[in-house]
Amino acid sequence: MKYLNAAEILPEYLLKELQAYVDGEILYVPKTSSKKEWGAANGSRVFYQERNREIQRLFQLGFSIDTLADRYGLAYSTIKKIVYG
């Protein structure tokens, strides 16, 4: 992110309007592009959804929470959240 001087890029009327709100302060202007949801870009969201469905299925088949925690390397409380949550 680079710093730009508003006086150099904004029309005078807009600069004066901004100065009424943030005179002499630094202002961050976010991008207009829409942000992707977590995990959408690299496929991790799908990976964890599939993993959690598999954990739920195995729990329904009778696997204990302790067994699933060991099998997937997750905490007991995490497995509980997946199967009961």
Short mmCIF file of all heavy atoms in Angstrom, two decimals, residues 14-82:
data_model
loop_
_atom_site.label_atom_id
_atom_site.label_comp_id
_atom_site.label_asym_id
_atom_site.label_seq_id
_atom_site.Cartn_x
_atom_site.Cartn_y
_atom_site.Cartn_z
N LEU A 14 -13.80 17.80 -3.50
CA LEU A 14 -13.74 16.56 -2.74
C LEU A 14 -12.70 16.65 -1.63
O LEU A 14 -12.92 16.16 -0.52
CB LEU A 14 -13.45 15.38 -3.67
CG LEU A 14 -13.47 13.99 -3.06
CD1 LEU A 14 -14.77 13.72 -2.30
CD2 LEU A 14 -13.27 12.94 -4.14
N LEU A 15 -11.58 17.27 -1.91
CA LEU A 15 -10.54 17.47 -0.90
C LEU A 15 -11.09 18.27 0.27
O LEU A 15 -10.90 17.91 1.43
CB LEU A 15 -9.33 18.16 -1.51
CG LEU A 15 -8.17 18.47 -0.56
CD1 LEU A 15 -7.62 17.19 0.06
CD2 LEU A 15 -7.09 19.25 -1.28
N LYS A 16 -11.81 19.34 -0.01
CA LYS A 16 -12.39 20.17 1.05
C LYS A 16 -13.41 19.38 1.87
O LYS A 16 -13.47 19.51 3.10
CB LYS A 16 -13.02 21.43 0.47
CG LYS A 16 -12.01 22.44 0.00
CD LYS A 16 -12.68 23.74 -0.37
CE LYS A 16 -11.68 24.74 -0.93
NZ LYS A 16 -10.63 25.10 -0.03
N GLU A 17 -14.18 18.56 1.22
CA GLU A 17 -15.17 17.73 1.93
C GLU A 17 -14.47 16.73 2.85
O GLU A 17 -14.86 16.55 4.01
CB GLU A 17 -16.06 16.99 0.92
CG GLU A 17 -17.20 16.24 1.53
CD GLU A 17 -18.26 17.13 2.16
OE1 GLU A 17 -18.38 18.31 1.77
OE2 GLU A 17 -18.97 16.63 3.05
N LEU A 18 -13.43 16.09 2.39
CA LEU A 18 -12.66 15.15 3.22
C LEU A 18 -12.01 15.87 4.40
O LEU A 18 -11.98 15.35 5.51
CB LEU A 18 -11.60 14.43 2.40
CG LEU A 18 -12.09 13.30 1.51
CD1 LEU A 18 -10.97 12.81 0.60
CD2 LEU A 18 -12.62 12.16 2.35
N GLN A 19 -11.49 17.06 4.16
CA GLN A 19 -10.84 17.80 5.22
C GLN A 19 -11.81 18.16 6.33
O GLN A 19 -11.40 18.30 7.49
CB GLN A 19 -10.19 19.08 4.66
CG GLN A 19 -8.93 18.80 3.88
CD GLN A 19 -8.40 20.00 3.14
OE1 GLN A 19 -9.16 20.88 2.73
NE2 GLN A 19 -7.08 20.05 2.98
N ALA A 20 -13.08 18.25 6.03
CA ALA A 20 -14.09 18.51 7.06
C ALA A 20 -14.19 17.35 8.04
O ALA A 20 -14.57 17.52 9.19
CB ALA A 20 -15.45 18.77 6.41
N TYR A 21 -13.81 16.17 7.59
CA TYR A 21 -13.90 14.97 8.43
C TYR A 21 -12.56 14.55 9.02
O TYR A 21 -12.48 14.12 10.16
CB TYR A 21 -14.48 13.80 7.63
CG TYR A 21 -15.91 14.01 7.22
CD1 TYR A 21 -16.23 14.52 5.97
CD2 TYR A 21 -16.95 13.70 8.09
CE1 TYR A 21 -17.54 14.71 5.59
CE2 TYR A 21 -18.27 13.89 7.73
CZ TYR A 21 -18.56 14.40 6.48
OH TYR A 21 -19.86 14.60 6.11
N VAL A 22 -11.51 14.63 8.23
CA VAL A 22 -10.20 14.12 8.65
C VAL A 22 -9.07 15.09 8.29
O VAL A 22 -8.13 14.74 7.61
CB VAL A 22 -9.90 12.73 8.04
CG1 VAL A 22 -10.74 11.66 8.67
CG2 VAL A 22 -10.09 12.73 6.54
N ASP A 23 -9.15 16.28 8.75
CA ASP A 23 -8.17 17.31 8.44
C ASP A 23 -6.79 16.95 9.01
O ASP A 23 -6.60 16.86 10.21
CB ASP A 23 -8.64 18.66 9.00
CG ASP A 23 -7.84 19.83 8.47
OD1 ASP A 23 -7.21 19.67 7.41
OD2 ASP A 23 -7.85 20.89 9.11
N GLY A 24 -5.85 16.72 8.12
CA GLY A 24 -4.47 16.44 8.53
C GLY A 24 -4.22 15.03 9.02
O GLY A 24 -3.12 14.70 9.44
N GLU A 25 -5.19 14.16 8.95
CA GLU A 25 -5.03 12.77 9.42
C GLU A 25 -4.78 11.84 8.23
O GLU A 25 -4.98 12.22 7.08
CB GLU A 25 -6.30 12.31 10.15
CG GLU A 25 -6.64 13.12 11.38
CD GLU A 25 -5.64 12.95 12.50
OE1 GLU A 25 -5.07 11.85 12.64
OE2 GLU A 25 -5.42 13.92 13.23
N ILE A 26 -4.37 10.64 8.53
CA ILE A 26 -4.17 9.62 7.50
C ILE A 26 -5.49 8.85 7.36
O ILE A 26 -6.10 8.46 8.35
CB ILE A 26 -3.03 8.67 7.87
CG1 ILE A 26 -1.71 9.44 7.91
CG2 ILE A 26 -2.95 7.52 6.88
CD1 ILE A 26 -0.53 8.62 8.40
N LEU A 27 -5.91 8.63 6.13
CA LEU A 27 -7.17 7.97 5.85
C LEU A 27 -6.91 6.77 4.96
O LEU A 27 -6.25 6.89 3.93
CB LEU A 27 -8.13 8.94 5.15
CG LEU A 27 -9.47 8.41 4.70
CD1 LEU A 27 -10.32 8.05 5.92
CD2 LEU A 27 -10.18 9.45 3.85
N TYR A 28 -7.44 5.61 5.34
CA TYR A 28 -7.33 4.41 4.51
C TYR A 28 -8.58 4.30 3.65
O TYR A 28 -9.70 4.40 4.14
CB TYR A 28 -7.19 3.16 5.39
CG TYR A 28 -7.31 1.88 4.59
CD1 TYR A 28 -6.28 1.45 3.77
CD2 TYR A 28 -8.47 1.12 4.65
CE1 TYR A 28 -6.39 0.28 3.03
CE2 TYR A 28 -8.59 -0.05 3.91
CZ TYR A 28 -7.56 -0.46 3.11
OH TYR A 28 -7.67 -1.60 2.37
N VAL A 29 -8.40 4.10 2.36
CA VAL A 29 -9.52 3.92 1.44
C VAL A 29 -9.46 2.48 0.93
O VAL A 29 -8.53 2.12 0.19
CB VAL A 29 -9.45 4.92 0.26
CG1 VAL A 29 -10.61 4.71 -0.69
CG2 VAL A 29 -9.40 6.35 0.78
N PRO A 30 -10.42 1.64 1.31
CA PRO A 30 -10.38 0.23 0.90
C PRO A 30 -10.64 0.06 -0.59
O PRO A 30 -11.25 0.92 -1.24
CB PRO A 30 -11.50 -0.41 1.72
CG PRO A 30 -12.41 0.70 2.07
CD PRO A 30 -11.58 1.94 2.14
N LYS A 31 -10.16 -1.04 -1.14
CA LYS A 31 -10.38 -1.37 -2.54
C LYS A 31 -11.86 -1.63 -2.78
O LYS A 31 -12.58 -2.07 -1.88
CB LYS A 31 -9.59 -2.62 -2.93
CG LYS A 31 -8.11 -2.42 -2.96
CD LYS A 31 -7.44 -3.70 -3.42
CE LYS A 31 -5.94 -3.50 -3.51
NZ LYS A 31 -5.28 -4.71 -4.01
N THR A 32 -12.30 -1.40 -3.99
CA THR A 32 -13.70 -1.68 -4.33
C THR A 32 -13.92 -3.13 -4.71
O THR A 32 -15.04 -3.59 -4.74
CB THR A 32 -14.15 -0.78 -5.50
OG1 THR A 32 -13.29 -1.00 -6.61
CG2 THR A 32 -14.16 0.67 -5.11
N SER A 33 -12.85 -3.85 -5.02
CA SER A 33 -13.00 -5.25 -5.41
C SER A 33 -13.56 -6.06 -4.24
O SER A 33 -13.22 -5.84 -3.09
CB SER A 33 -11.67 -5.83 -5.86
OG SER A 33 -10.74 -5.80 -4.81
N SER A 34 -14.41 -7.00 -4.56
CA SER A 34 -15.01 -7.82 -3.51
C SER A 34 -14.01 -8.84 -2.99
O SER A 34 -13.25 -9.43 -3.76
CB SER A 34 -16.26 -8.53 -4.04
OG SER A 34 -15.92 -9.39 -5.10
N LYS A 35 -14.03 -9.02 -1.71
CA LYS A 35 -13.12 -9.95 -1.06
C LYS A 35 -13.71 -11.35 -1.12
O LYS A 35 -14.90 -11.55 -0.86
CB LYS A 35 -12.90 -9.53 0.39
CG LYS A 35 -11.89 -10.36 1.11
CD LYS A 35 -11.69 -9.86 2.52
CE LYS A 35 -10.73 -10.78 3.24
NZ LYS A 35 -10.59 -10.43 4.64
N LYS A 36 -12.89 -12.33 -1.44
CA LYS A 36 -13.34 -13.72 -1.48
C LYS A 36 -13.50 -14.24 -0.06
O LYS A 36 -12.83 -13.80 0.86
CB LYS A 36 -12.34 -14.59 -2.24
CG LYS A 36 -12.27 -14.27 -3.70
CD LYS A 36 -11.33 -15.21 -4.40
CE LYS A 36 -11.28 -14.89 -5.88
NZ LYS A 36 -10.39 -15.79 -6.60
N GLU A 37 -14.39 -15.19 0.09
CA GLU A 37 -14.59 -15.82 1.39
C GLU A 37 -13.35 -16.61 1.78
O GLU A 37 -12.57 -17.03 0.93
CB GLU A 37 -15.80 -16.75 1.35
CG GLU A 37 -17.12 -16.05 1.22
CD GLU A 37 -18.27 -17.03 1.25
OE1 GLU A 37 -18.06 -18.24 1.10
OE2 GLU A 37 -19.40 -16.57 1.44
N TRP A 38 -13.23 -16.85 3.09
CA TRP A 38 -12.10 -17.61 3.60
C TRP A 38 -12.02 -18.96 2.90
O TRP A 38 -13.01 -19.68 2.79
CB TRP A 38 -12.25 -17.82 5.11
CG TRP A 38 -11.18 -18.67 5.67
CD1 TRP A 38 -9.98 -18.25 6.14
CD2 TRP A 38 -11.18 -20.09 5.82
NE1 TRP A 38 -9.24 -19.32 6.57
CE2 TRP A 38 -9.95 -20.47 6.38
CE3 TRP A 38 -12.10 -21.08 5.52
CZ2 TRP A 38 -9.61 -21.78 6.65
CZ3 TRP A 38 -11.78 -22.40 5.78
CH2 TRP A 38 -10.54 -22.73 6.35
N GLY A 39 -10.84 -19.30 2.41
CA GLY A 39 -10.59 -20.60 1.82
C GLY A 39 -11.08 -20.78 0.40
O GLY A 39 -10.89 -21.83 -0.19
N ALA A 40 -11.72 -19.78 -0.17
CA ALA A 40 -12.26 -19.91 -1.52
C ALA A 40 -11.17 -19.93 -2.58
O ALA A 40 -11.29 -20.63 -3.58
CB ALA A 40 -13.25 -18.79 -1.81
N ALA A 41 -10.12 -19.19 -2.36
CA ALA A 41 -9.07 -19.07 -3.37
C ALA A 41 -8.19 -20.31 -3.46
O ALA A 41 -7.78 -20.70 -4.55
CB ALA A 41 -8.21 -17.84 -3.08
N ASN A 42 -7.89 -20.96 -2.34
CA ASN A 42 -6.93 -22.07 -2.37
C ASN A 42 -7.56 -23.44 -2.12
O ASN A 42 -6.86 -24.43 -2.05
CB ASN A 42 -5.81 -21.82 -1.36
CG ASN A 42 -6.31 -21.73 0.06
OD1 ASN A 42 -7.47 -22.02 0.34
ND2 ASN A 42 -5.43 -21.34 0.96
N GLY A 43 -8.88 -23.49 -1.95
CA GLY A 43 -9.56 -24.77 -1.79
C GLY A 43 -9.58 -25.32 -0.39
O GLY A 43 -10.10 -26.41 -0.16
N SER A 44 -9.05 -24.58 0.58
CA SER A 44 -9.03 -25.11 1.94
C SER A 44 -10.43 -25.22 2.54
O SER A 44 -10.70 -26.11 3.34
CB SER A 44 -8.11 -24.28 2.84
OG SER A 44 -8.52 -22.96 2.90
N ARG A 45 -11.34 -24.32 2.16
CA ARG A 45 -12.71 -24.39 2.66
C ARG A 45 -13.34 -25.74 2.29
O ARG A 45 -13.93 -26.41 3.12
CB ARG A 45 -13.54 -23.24 2.12
CG ARG A 45 -15.02 -23.42 2.41
CD ARG A 45 -15.85 -22.21 2.03
NE ARG A 45 -16.38 -21.72 3.27
CZ ARG A 45 -16.31 -20.51 3.72
NH1 ARG A 45 -15.73 -19.60 3.02
NH2 ARG A 45 -16.81 -20.18 4.87
N VAL A 46 -13.19 -26.14 1.03
CA VAL A 46 -13.74 -27.42 0.56
C VAL A 46 -13.07 -28.57 1.29
O VAL A 46 -13.75 -29.53 1.71
CB VAL A 46 -13.58 -27.54 -0.97
CG1 VAL A 46 -13.98 -28.93 -1.45
CG2 VAL A 46 -14.41 -26.48 -1.67
N PHE A 47 -11.76 -28.50 1.46
CA PHE A 47 -11.02 -29.56 2.14
C PHE A 47 -11.58 -29.79 3.55
O PHE A 47 -11.85 -30.92 3.95
CB PHE A 47 -9.53 -29.21 2.21
CG PHE A 47 -8.75 -30.13 3.10
CD1 PHE A 47 -8.34 -31.37 2.64
CD2 PHE A 47 -8.43 -29.76 4.39
CE1 PHE A 47 -7.63 -32.23 3.48
CE2 PHE A 47 -7.71 -30.61 5.23
CZ PHE A 47 -7.32 -31.84 4.77
N TYR A 48 -11.74 -28.70 4.32
CA TYR A 48 -12.22 -28.84 5.70
C TYR A 48 -13.68 -29.25 5.77
O TYR A 48 -14.08 -29.98 6.67
CB TYR A 48 -11.96 -27.56 6.49
CG TYR A 48 -10.49 -27.37 6.79
CD1 TYR A 48 -9.79 -26.31 6.26
CD2 TYR A 48 -9.80 -28.29 7.57
CE1 TYR A 48 -8.43 -26.15 6.52
CE2 TYR A 48 -8.44 -28.14 7.82
CZ TYR A 48 -7.77 -27.07 7.30
OH TYR A 48 -6.43 -26.94 7.55
N GLN A 49 -14.50 -28.82 4.81
CA GLN A 49 -15.89 -29.25 4.79
C GLN A 49 -15.97 -30.76 4.56
O GLN A 49 -16.75 -31.45 5.23
CB GLN A 49 -16.66 -28.51 3.70
CG GLN A 49 -16.97 -27.08 4.04
CD GLN A 49 -17.59 -26.31 2.89
OE1 GLN A 49 -17.43 -26.66 1.71
NE2 GLN A 49 -18.30 -25.24 3.22
N GLU A 50 -15.17 -31.25 3.62
CA GLU A 50 -15.16 -32.70 3.34
C GLU A 50 -14.63 -33.48 4.54
O GLU A 50 -15.17 -34.52 4.90
CB GLU A 50 -14.35 -32.98 2.09
CG GLU A 50 -15.02 -32.50 0.82
CD GLU A 50 -14.16 -32.66 -0.41
OE1 GLU A 50 -13.00 -33.14 -0.30
OE2 GLU A 50 -14.63 -32.29 -1.49
N ARG A 51 -13.56 -32.98 5.16
CA ARG A 51 -13.00 -33.64 6.34
C ARG A 51 -14.03 -33.70 7.46
O ARG A 51 -14.23 -34.75 8.09
CB ARG A 51 -11.76 -32.89 6.83
CG ARG A 51 -11.12 -33.55 8.06
CD ARG A 51 -10.32 -32.60 8.88
NE ARG A 51 -11.15 -31.56 9.48
CZ ARG A 51 -10.68 -30.54 10.17
NH1 ARG A 51 -9.39 -30.39 10.32
NH2 ARG A 51 -11.49 -29.65 10.70
N ASN A 52 -14.73 -32.61 7.70
CA ASN A 52 -15.72 -32.57 8.77
C ASN A 52 -16.90 -33.50 8.48
O ASN A 52 -17.42 -34.14 9.39
CB ASN A 52 -16.20 -31.14 9.01
CG ASN A 52 -15.10 -30.27 9.59
OD1 ASN A 52 -14.03 -30.76 9.95
ND2 ASN A 52 -15.35 -28.98 9.66
N ARG A 53 -17.31 -33.58 7.21
CA ARG A 53 -18.38 -34.53 6.86
C ARG A 53 -17.94 -35.97 7.12
O ARG A 53 -18.71 -36.80 7.60
CB ARG A 53 -18.80 -34.35 5.41
CG ARG A 53 -19.78 -33.21 5.19
CD ARG A 53 -20.42 -33.28 3.82
NE ARG A 53 -19.48 -32.99 2.74
CZ ARG A 53 -19.22 -31.78 2.28
NH1 ARG A 53 -19.83 -30.73 2.79
NH2 ARG A 53 -18.36 -31.60 1.30
N GLU A 54 -16.68 -36.26 6.80
CA GLU A 54 -16.15 -37.60 7.04
C GLU A 54 -16.10 -37.91 8.54
O GLU A 54 -16.47 -39.00 8.97
CB GLU A 54 -14.76 -37.74 6.43
CG GLU A 54 -14.17 -39.13 6.59
CD GLU A 54 -12.81 -39.25 5.90
OE1 GLU A 54 -12.54 -38.51 4.96
OE2 GLU A 54 -12.04 -40.11 6.35
N ILE A 55 -15.69 -36.94 9.33
CA ILE A 55 -15.66 -37.12 10.78
C ILE A 55 -17.07 -37.37 11.31
O ILE A 55 -17.29 -38.28 12.12
CB ILE A 55 -15.01 -35.89 11.47
CG1 ILE A 55 -13.51 -35.86 11.18
CG2 ILE A 55 -15.27 -35.90 12.98
CD1 ILE A 55 -12.80 -34.60 11.61
N GLN A 56 -18.05 -36.61 10.84
CA GLN A 56 -19.44 -36.81 11.26
C GLN A 56 -19.95 -38.20 10.87
O GLN A 56 -20.62 -38.86 11.66
CB GLN A 56 -20.34 -35.73 10.65
CG GLN A 56 -20.10 -34.36 11.22
CD GLN A 56 -20.76 -33.25 10.42
OE1 GLN A 56 -21.14 -33.42 9.26
NE2 GLN A 56 -20.89 -32.08 11.04
N ARG A 57 -19.60 -38.63 9.66
CA ARG A 57 -20.02 -39.95 9.19
C ARG A 57 -19.41 -41.06 10.05
O ARG A 57 -20.11 -41.99 10.48
CB ARG A 57 -19.62 -40.14 7.72
CG ARG A 57 -20.12 -41.43 7.09
CD ARG A 57 -19.67 -41.56 5.65
NE ARG A 57 -18.23 -41.56 5.50
CZ ARG A 57 -17.45 -42.63 5.71
NH1 ARG A 57 -17.97 -43.77 6.10
NH2 ARG A 57 -16.15 -42.56 5.53
N LEU A 58 -18.11 -40.95 10.34
CA LEU A 58 -17.45 -41.96 11.15
C LEU A 58 -18.01 -41.98 12.58
O LEU A 58 -18.16 -43.05 13.18
CB LEU A 58 -15.94 -41.72 11.18
CG LEU A 58 -15.21 -41.96 9.85
CD1 LEU A 58 -13.75 -41.54 9.95
CD2 LEU A 58 -15.35 -43.41 9.41
N PHE A 59 -18.35 -40.81 13.11
CA PHE A 59 -18.95 -40.75 14.44
C PHE A 59 -20.30 -41.47 14.44
O PHE A 59 -20.62 -42.21 15.37
CB PHE A 59 -19.10 -39.30 14.88
CG PHE A 59 -19.68 -39.14 16.25
CD1 PHE A 59 -18.93 -39.45 17.38
CD2 PHE A 59 -20.98 -38.71 16.43
CE1 PHE A 59 -19.46 -39.33 18.65
CE2 PHE A 59 -21.52 -38.58 17.69
CZ PHE A 59 -20.76 -38.88 18.81
N GLN A 60 -21.08 -41.26 13.39
CA GLN A 60 -22.38 -41.93 13.28
C GLN A 60 -22.23 -43.45 13.14
O GLN A 60 -23.12 -44.21 13.54
CB GLN A 60 -23.18 -41.37 12.10
CG GLN A 60 -23.66 -39.96 12.33
CD GLN A 60 -24.31 -39.35 11.10
OE1 GLN A 60 -24.23 -39.90 10.00
NE2 GLN A 60 -24.95 -38.20 11.28
N LEU A 61 -21.10 -43.87 12.59
CA LEU A 61 -20.83 -45.30 12.46
C LEU A 61 -20.32 -45.92 13.75
O LEU A 61 -20.10 -47.13 13.81
CB LEU A 61 -19.82 -45.55 11.33
CG LEU A 61 -20.32 -45.29 9.91
CD1 LEU A 61 -19.19 -45.42 8.91
CD2 LEU A 61 -21.47 -46.23 9.57
N GLY A 62 -20.10 -45.09 14.77
CA GLY A 62 -19.72 -45.63 16.06
C GLY A 62 -18.31 -45.34 16.53
O GLY A 62 -17.90 -45.80 17.60
N PHE A 63 -17.53 -44.59 15.75
CA PHE A 63 -16.19 -44.22 16.20
C PHE A 63 -16.30 -43.25 17.36
O PHE A 63 -17.14 -42.36 17.36
CB PHE A 63 -15.39 -43.55 15.06
CG PHE A 63 -14.90 -44.51 14.02
CD1 PHE A 63 -15.76 -45.02 13.05
CD2 PHE A 63 -13.56 -44.89 13.99
CE1 PHE A 63 -15.30 -45.89 12.09
CE2 PHE A 63 -13.10 -45.76 13.02
CZ PHE A 63 -13.99 -46.27 12.06
N SER A 64 -15.44 -43.43 18.36
CA SER A 64 -15.49 -42.54 19.52
C SER A 64 -14.81 -41.22 19.21
O SER A 64 -14.01 -41.11 18.27
CB SER A 64 -14.79 -43.20 20.72
OG SER A 64 -13.39 -43.23 20.51
N ILE A 65 -15.11 -40.22 20.01
CA ILE A 65 -14.49 -38.91 19.83
C ILE A 65 -12.99 -39.01 20.05
O ILE A 65 -12.20 -38.41 19.32
CB ILE A 65 -15.14 -37.87 20.77
CG1 ILE A 65 -16.58 -37.62 20.33
CG2 ILE A 65 -14.35 -36.57 20.79
CD1 ILE A 65 -17.37 -36.69 21.21
N ASP A 66 -12.56 -39.80 21.03
CA ASP A 66 -11.12 -40.00 21.28
C ASP A 66 -10.43 -40.60 20.06
O ASP A 66 -9.34 -40.16 19.68
CB ASP A 66 -10.90 -40.91 22.49
CG ASP A 66 -11.15 -40.19 23.80
OD1 ASP A 66 -10.79 -39.00 23.90
OD2 ASP A 66 -11.72 -40.82 24.72
N THR A 67 -11.05 -41.60 19.46
CA THR A 67 -10.48 -42.26 18.29
C THR A 67 -10.36 -41.27 17.13
O THR A 67 -9.33 -41.22 16.45
CB THR A 67 -11.34 -43.47 17.87
OG1 THR A 67 -11.41 -44.38 18.96
CG2 THR A 67 -10.76 -44.17 16.65
N LEU A 68 -11.42 -40.49 16.92
CA LEU A 68 -11.40 -39.51 15.82
C LEU A 68 -10.37 -38.42 16.07
O LEU A 68 -9.69 -37.97 15.14
CB LEU A 68 -12.79 -38.92 15.64
CG LEU A 68 -13.86 -39.90 15.13
CD1 LEU A 68 -15.24 -39.28 15.20
CD2 LEU A 68 -13.53 -40.37 13.72
N ALA A 69 -10.23 -38.00 17.32
CA ALA A 69 -9.24 -36.97 17.66
C ALA A 69 -7.83 -37.48 17.35
O ALA A 69 -7.01 -36.74 16.77
CB ALA A 69 -9.36 -36.59 19.12
N ASP A 70 -7.54 -38.72 17.71
CA ASP A 70 -6.23 -39.31 17.41
C ASP A 70 -6.03 -39.47 15.91
O ASP A 70 -4.96 -39.17 15.37
CB ASP A 70 -6.07 -40.67 18.09
CG ASP A 70 -5.91 -40.56 19.59
OD1 ASP A 70 -5.56 -39.46 20.08
OD2 ASP A 70 -6.15 -41.56 20.29
N ARG A 71 -7.05 -39.94 15.23
CA ARG A 71 -6.96 -40.22 13.80
C ARG A 71 -6.70 -38.95 12.99
O ARG A 71 -5.93 -38.97 12.03
CB ARG A 71 -8.24 -40.89 13.33
CG ARG A 71 -8.25 -41.28 11.89
CD ARG A 71 -9.49 -42.06 11.55
NE ARG A 71 -9.43 -42.56 10.21
CZ ARG A 71 -10.21 -43.51 9.73
NH1 ARG A 71 -11.11 -44.07 10.52
NH2 ARG A 71 -10.11 -43.90 8.49
N TYR A 72 -7.34 -37.86 13.36
CA TYR A 72 -7.23 -36.61 12.59
C TYR A 72 -6.27 -35.60 13.22
O TYR A 72 -6.07 -34.52 12.66
CB TYR A 72 -8.61 -35.98 12.40
CG TYR A 72 -9.45 -36.76 11.42
CD1 TYR A 72 -10.32 -37.75 11.86
CD2 TYR A 72 -9.36 -36.53 10.05
CE1 TYR A 72 -11.08 -38.48 10.97
CE2 TYR A 72 -10.11 -37.26 9.15
CZ TYR A 72 -10.96 -38.24 9.62
OH TYR A 72 -11.71 -38.97 8.73
N GLY A 73 -5.69 -35.92 14.36
CA GLY A 73 -4.75 -35.01 15.00
C GLY A 73 -5.40 -33.74 15.50
O GLY A 73 -4.80 -32.67 15.45
N LEU A 74 -6.65 -33.87 15.95
CA LEU A 74 -7.41 -32.72 16.45
C LEU A 74 -7.70 -32.88 17.93
O LEU A 74 -7.67 -33.99 18.46
CB LEU A 74 -8.73 -32.58 15.67
CG LEU A 74 -8.61 -32.32 14.18
CD1 LEU A 74 -9.97 -32.42 13.51
CD2 LEU A 74 -7.99 -30.95 13.93
N ALA A 75 -7.98 -31.78 18.58
CA ALA A 75 -8.33 -31.82 20.00
C ALA A 75 -9.71 -32.45 20.18
O ALA A 75 -10.57 -32.37 19.30
CB ALA A 75 -8.33 -30.40 20.57
N TYR A 76 -9.90 -33.05 21.33
CA TYR A 76 -11.18 -33.67 21.69
C TYR A 76 -12.31 -32.64 21.52
O TYR A 76 -13.35 -32.94 20.94
CB TYR A 76 -11.10 -34.16 23.14
CG TYR A 76 -12.32 -34.89 23.63
CD1 TYR A 76 -12.44 -36.26 23.48
CD2 TYR A 76 -13.36 -34.20 24.26
CE1 TYR A 76 -13.57 -36.94 23.94
CE2 TYR A 76 -14.48 -34.86 24.72
CZ TYR A 76 -14.58 -36.23 24.56
OH TYR A 76 -15.70 -36.89 25.01
N SER A 77 -12.07 -31.42 22.01
CA SER A 77 -13.11 -30.38 21.93
C SER A 77 -13.42 -29.99 20.49
O SER A 77 -14.57 -29.66 20.17
CB SER A 77 -12.69 -29.15 22.73
OG SER A 77 -11.48 -28.62 22.23
N THR A 78 -12.44 -30.05 19.61
CA THR A 78 -12.67 -29.73 18.21
C THR A 78 -13.55 -30.78 17.55
O THR A 78 -14.49 -30.45 16.81
CB THR A 78 -11.33 -29.62 17.45
OG1 THR A 78 -10.53 -28.62 18.08
CG2 THR A 78 -11.54 -29.27 15.99
N ILE A 79 -13.29 -32.05 17.85
CA ILE A 79 -14.12 -33.12 17.32
C ILE A 79 -15.55 -32.99 17.83
O ILE A 79 -16.52 -33.16 17.07
CB ILE A 79 -13.53 -34.52 17.65
CG1 ILE A 79 -12.15 -34.70 17.05
CG2 ILE A 79 -14.47 -35.63 17.22
CD1 ILE A 79 -12.12 -34.76 15.54
N LYS A 80 -15.71 -32.65 19.11
CA LYS A 80 -17.05 -32.45 19.67
C LYS A 80 -17.79 -31.36 18.91
O LYS A 80 -18.98 -31.50 18.61
CB LYS A 80 -16.96 -32.09 21.14
CG LYS A 80 -16.84 -33.29 22.07
CD LYS A 80 -16.78 -32.90 23.52
CE LYS A 80 -17.98 -32.11 23.96
NZ LYS A 80 -17.97 -31.82 25.43
N LYS A 81 -17.11 -30.26 18.62
CA LYS A 81 -17.75 -29.17 17.87
C LYS A 81 -18.17 -29.63 16.48
O LYS A 81 -19.22 -29.21 15.98
CB LYS A 81 -16.80 -27.98 17.74
CG LYS A 81 -16.60 -27.23 19.02
CD LYS A 81 -15.59 -26.11 18.82
CE LYS A 81 -15.23 -25.48 20.15
NZ LYS A 81 -14.15 -24.48 20.02
N ILE A 82 -17.38 -30.48 15.86
CA ILE A 82 -17.70 -30.96 14.52
C ILE A 82 -18.90 -31.90 14.54
O ILE A 82 -19.80 -31.78 13.72
CB ILE A 82 -16.48 -31.65 13.87
CG1 ILE A 82 -15.37 -30.62 13.60
CG2 ILE A 82 -16.85 -32.38 12.58
CD1 ILE A 82 -14.04 -31.21 13.21
#
